[in-house]
Amino acid sequence: MKHLLIGAFCLISLSLKSQTQKDETANDISNLKLDERKLDSLYELILLKYTDDPMFIKNFELAQNAWRKYYKLEVKAMFPDYMPNPYGSMFLSCESVYARKLIKARINEVLLWLVGSEDGACKSSIKPKPALNDTTR
């Protein structure tokens, strides 16, 4: 009887772990999609805030397109398409977590154009904070 109870407990634990892993993977993929949408929204907002600077917009679009290529290739480099698949059942979760790290780093980079620059010696395409806060533009 004792062995039967232990066996039943192990089976229940395995099924709960499996469900938890599915939930975790679904959650990781959902969070990745949210981060992708956040990056896309920030990108669009920057294009709106900088409509008066067509050269910047052209270069920013080129930079974002290059970053997207880098992002896809970086994820592929981290998780090559080996056959047979050596990554196991956590693959989608691990891939999503790594991809989110890359996207979060890019979000921090593009936020510079929305936060604005301080007065200083080094001028760039980043608008000064007062110009970004001016709602008449």
Side-chain angles (χ1 to χ4, degrees):
M1 180 68 168
K2 184 177 182 181
H3 294 295
L4 186 62
L5 287 174
I6 291 172
F9 177 75
C10 288
L11 283 174
I12 291 169
S13 294
L14 285 174
S15 68
L16 289 176
K17 169 99 171 105
S18 173
Q19 182 62 40
T20 302
Q21 185 175 329
K22 283 182 185 178
D23 291 342
E24 184 177 329
T25 298
N27 188 48
D28 289 336
I29 291 170
S30 176
N31 286 333
L32 173 60
K33 290 178 181 179
L34 286 172
D35 287 344
E36 288 173 340
R37 285 195 297 270
K38 180 177 181 180
L39 177 57
D40 291 341
S41 294
L42 291 172
Y43 174 78
E44 293 299 324
L45 184 57
I46 291 167
L47 293 179
L48 286 172
K49 293 245 181 206
Y50 285 79
T51 55
D52 60 338
D53 190 348
M55 185 171 289
F56 163 74
I57 289 177
K58 176 185 171 192
N59 290 321
F60 188 66
E61 287 172 337
L62 289 170
Q64 187 65 9
N65 289 336
W67 181 84
R68 291 243 180 242
K69 289 176 186 173
Y70 160 79
Y71 164 77
K72 288 176 185 174
L73 292 171
E74 184 69 16
V75 172
K76 283 282 188 200
M78 183 59 75
F79 300 100
D81 293 331
Y82 294 125
M83 290 299 162
N85 178 343
Y87 305 116
S89 60
M90 289 295 294
F91 168 66
L92 289 175
S93 184
C94 295
E95 183 183 52
S96 297
V97 168
Y98 182 69
R100 286 187 71 206
K101 287 179 185 178
L102 297 174
I103 290 173
K104 286 180 179 185
R106 181 62 178 161
I107 286 170
N108 287 332
E109 292 169 358
V110 302
L111 276 173
L112 293 172
W113 282 276
L114 292 174
V115 171
S117 65
E118 302 286 339
D119 287 336
C122 296
K123 302 292 183 198
S124 69
S125 62
I126 298 172
K127 291 183 178 183
K129 285 184 179 185
L132 285 172
N133 293 329
D134 183 2
T135 57
T136 60
R137 289 183 181 217

